[in-house]
């Protein structure tokens, strides 16, 4: 398991800086709850539907409409909390966060400020074999998503699509325990992985199902340790928040830029101004969106349309009992059960669908060999062709069939690759293909002996050479393999050639 004694040190030297500086990062990740219906209405959450087709009267904020809480969304958030080893608050409450924006018909977002559903938890972010950073989760609250304004369809008009309005989000707030750009990306990767294992968020970042606000500050070495001891934020630098990031690459670039910007200000004797910034990937820069002074006064107050949310411990326990095996445990099990390396176990467990595929192949077979084939042949090929595992032309059953043929000595590793190619392009039953195409390995020593005899008889000069220099026996092995179309069992050929040449 992960040994947290080997927590990676924070990088101190930041390129271009005069002094040593450390980065401090905390993230607010918005994860769309995997649910067919919205948080307070029965409207569909389907992605890519005709604009404004998934909008109920509640989502459109028609007068007199009242929100009705979707229990399944709450169950998903509880499941998420349990997956992040977090405390579940049996009593939570919804608040109104008031602001005006065209994509928010209600004029307020229903969120949870004062009493969130989920309390403190943690995520272990692996930064190398056995080296992990523990990132504490402060809270998870449930809230509504807003709609989408569209400004680039017409030169004179803006449009609004309310399909996303009212979709349930989980806002997962971390403590400022992330210490560098790579860790920040690795944190989002890990969070996404856990949510996908739990089935509580699709994690599709392109569709905006998972997006992060990244809070960045810099401080001098030693300050973070003081913060850790006291939990007093005044030991840390002033932070800026970079909004709405939905790419791991841009998260890293934005943090690097932002750190350099803040350090330059501080080394110049200036002060960092707390503000919200946006990252421009074309320019590779963050720019100010609004300062703290311009920050909205959201006039939060308890939502009068919704009773406080009270849930039963029994219900929480039953959700806990039904949790699936999570990435850390699954990875440890693969190392233990299948004898695969730490790295291979990471690759196999990265995506929950990939792990399921591997287990189907490995079941009752040599786990290490299954891992090699799944990673090198299958994942390699899928990557090359830009395919997801769900679109793999070769099924787990077919790949398992190939491994069985190897295990029974019916085909060599080399022929198995040819067979894989045939399955990839045409499909079929591996054993039947081998039978029908005569791809079976020749292990019949009589047939191999006959082939060896023939080649020895036809090449007396080569025989003489090989007998004075045994290294040249390889030539005969090659000739036999050629004569048998690569189907002869190489081990048997070797032995027979050596015996016949008297080596
Ligand atoms: P707000 O609600 O105004 O965004 P929070 O106190 O909830 O403020 O903090 C938001 C995020 O900012 C959290 O993830 C927290 O860990 C992070 N954060 C707070 N202080 C700092 C800091 N000095 N440097 C980096 N991140 C910080
Ligand atoms: Mg914030």
């Amino acid at each position: 398991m992960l040994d947290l004694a080997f927590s990676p040190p924070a990088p101190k030297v930041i390129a271009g800086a005069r002094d040593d500086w450390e980065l401090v990062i905390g993230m607010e990740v918005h994860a769309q709850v995997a649910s067919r219906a919205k948080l307070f209405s029965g409207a569909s959450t389907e992605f890519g539907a005709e604009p404004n087709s998934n909008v109920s009267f509640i989502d459109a904020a028609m007068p007199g409409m009242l929100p009705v809480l979707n229990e399944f969304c709450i169950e998903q958030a509880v499941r998420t909390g349990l997956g992040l080893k977090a405390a579940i608050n049996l009593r939570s409450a919804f608040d109104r966060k008031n602001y005006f924006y065209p994509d928010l018909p209600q004029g307020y977002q229903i969120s949870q400020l004062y009493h969130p559903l989920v309390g403190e938890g943690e995520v272990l972010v692996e930064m190398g074999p056995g080296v992990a950073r523990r990132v504490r989760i402060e809270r998870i609250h449930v809230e509504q998503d807003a709609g989408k304004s569209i400004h680039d369809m017409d030169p004179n008009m803006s449009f609004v699509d309310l399909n996303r309005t009212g979709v349930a989000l989980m806002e997962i707030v971390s403590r400022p325990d992330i210490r560098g750009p790579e860790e920040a990306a690795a944190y989002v990767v890990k969070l996404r992985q856990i949510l996908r294992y739990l089935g509580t968020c699709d994690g599709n970042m392109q569709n905006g199902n998972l997006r992060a606000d990244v809070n960045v500050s810099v401080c001098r070495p030693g300050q973070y340790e003081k913060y850790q001891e006291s939990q007093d934020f005044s030991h840390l630098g002033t932070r800026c928040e970079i909004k709405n990031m939905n790419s791991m690459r841009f998260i890293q670039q934005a943090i690097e830029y932002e750190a350099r910007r803040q350090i330059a200000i501080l080394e110049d004797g200036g002060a960092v101004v707390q503000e919200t910034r946006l990252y421009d990937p074309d320019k590779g820069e963050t720019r100010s969106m609004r300062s703290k002074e311009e920050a909205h006064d959201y006039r939060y107050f308890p939502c009068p349309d919704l009773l406080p949310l009270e849930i039963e411990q029994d219900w929480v326990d039953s959700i806990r009992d039904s949790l699936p095996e999570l990435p850390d445990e699954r990875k440890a099990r693969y190392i233990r059960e299948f004898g695969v390396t730490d790295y291979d176990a990471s690759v196999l467990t990265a995506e929950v669908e990939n792990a399921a595929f591997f287990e189907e192949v490995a079941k009752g077979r040599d786990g290490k060999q299954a891992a090699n084939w799944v990673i090198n042949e299958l994942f390699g090929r899928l990557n090359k062709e830009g395919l997801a595992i769900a679109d793999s032309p070769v099924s787990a059953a077919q790949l398992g069939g190939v491994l069985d043929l190897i295990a029974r000595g019916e085909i060599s590793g080399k022929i198995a690759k040819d067979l894989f190619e045939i399955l990839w392009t045409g499909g079929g039953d591996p054993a039947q293909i081998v039978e029908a195409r005569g791809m079976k390995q020749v292990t019949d020593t009589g047939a191999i002996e006959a082939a060896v005899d023939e080649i020895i008889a036809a090449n007396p000069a080569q025989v003489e050479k090989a007998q004075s220099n045994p290294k040249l026996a390889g030539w005969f092995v090659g000739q036999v393999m050629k004569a048998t179309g690569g189907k002869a069992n190489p081990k048997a050929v070797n032995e027979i050639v050596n015996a016949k040449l008297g080596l």
Side-chain angles (χ1 to χ4, degrees), residues 39-340:
L39 182 56
F40 297 116
S41 82
S44 164
T45 60
E46 188 199 347
F47 181 81
E50 183 71 15
N52 298 309
S53 59
N54 294 337
V55 187
S56 74
F57 289 135
I58 294 173
D59 309 321
M62 288 299 174
M65 291 297 117
L66 288 172
V68 179
L69 186 59
N70 177 344
E71 185 179 317
F72 181 68
C73 292
I74 299 303
E75 182 182 329
Q76 289 286 61
V78 169
R79 187 172 287 120
T80 301
L82 294 171
L84 302 182
K85 302 185 171 54
I88 306 298
N89 297 322
L90 296 181
R91 192 185 163 93
S92 62
F94 289 97
D95 304 299
R96 283 189 184 178
K97 177 180 183 180
N98 299 278
Y99 64 96
F100 173 78
Y101 208 74
D103 62 20
L104 187 76
Q106 287 171 156
Y108 55 82
Q109 177 193 32
I110 303 178
S111 181
Q112 296 191 307
L113 177 69
Y114 303 108
H115 304 286
L117 177 62
V118 180
E120 299 199 353
E122 67 173 38
V123 174
L124 295 183
V125 183
E126 217 177 329
M127 297 307 297
V131 180
R133 171 87 60 204
R134 184 198 300 274
V135 177
R136 293 167 300 159
I137 300 297
E138 181 186 317
R139 56 190 268 146
I140 304 176
H141 58 259
V142 180
E143 62 185 27
Q144 300 172 296
D145 206 347
K148 204 172 136 201
S149 295
I150 302 158
H151 303 297
D152 55 4
M153 260 174 72
D154 186 286
N156 302 312
M157 279 193 283
S158 278
F159 297 91
V160 69
D161 177 6
L162 299 181
N163 281 351
R164 219 175 54 188
T165 308
V167 165
L169 297 180
M170 299 177 278
E171 177 162 338
I172 305 168
V173 183
S174 87
R175 300 274 181 198
D177 291 345
I178 301 161
R179 307 306 312 279
E182 300 79 22
E183 281 182 22
Y187 168 74
V188 179
V189 169
K190 184 62 180 284
L191 197 56
R192 176 178 178 276
Q193 185 192 27
I194 295 172
L195 298 181
R196 283 174 42 76
Y197 268 68
L198 290 166
T200 58
C201 172
D202 296 344
N204 187 329
M205 296 184 78
Q206 268 120 39
N207 294 355
N209 277 354
L210 196 76
R211 33 193 214 266
D213 298 343
V214 187
N215 295 269
V216 180
S217 69
V218 297
C219 64
R220 302 306 308 275
Q223 291 301 112
Y224 184 78
E225 287 68 23
K226 285 188 194 158
Y227 155 72
Q228 278 289 18
E229 258 164 47
S230 60
Q231 293 300 307
D232 177 352
F233 282 88
S234 70
H235 294 293
L236 299 179
T238 302
R239 72 188 151 105
C240 287
E241 177 176 5
I242 312 163
K243 275 273 178 213
N244 252 327
M245 308 287 297
N246 67 349
S247 132
M248 310 297 178
R249 192 156 58 90
F250 294 160
I251 287 175
Q252 296 189 57
Q253 291 172 357
I255 293 171
E256 274 163 31
Y257 175 86
E258 187 56 24
R260 281 200 300 275
R261 187 187 71 87
Q262 293 181 12
I263 290 166
I265 292 173
L266 295 168
E267 292 194 343
D268 251 12
V272 174
V273 181
Q274 184 175 339
E275 61 184 359
T276 305
R277 299 178 70 86
L278 280 181
Y279 181 65
D280 179 342
D282 295 328
K283 293 206 179 103
E285 295 172 0
T286 63
R287 62 163 186 273
S288 182
M289 187 174 142
R290 54 172 183 262
S291 68
K292 202 183 173 188
E293 288 74 50
E294 299 163 64
H296 298 285
D297 173 3
Y298 291 118
R299 293 166 293 127
Y300 275 101
F301 63 87
C303 183
D305 290 341
L306 290 157
L307 288 169
L309 175 59
E310 289 191 19
I311 57 177
E312 303 280 331
Q313 186 61 50
D314 283 354
W315 188 57
V316 175
D317 291 342
S318 73
I319 298 171
R320 192 194 308 273
D321 291 341
S322 71
L323 286 187
E325 184 182 38
L326 292 172
D328 289 342
E329 289 122 48
R330 189 172 277 207
K331 184 182 159 185
R333 179 166 64 82
Y334 282 9
I335 296 172
R336 201 174 59 233
E337 214 167 90
F338 299 116
V340 300

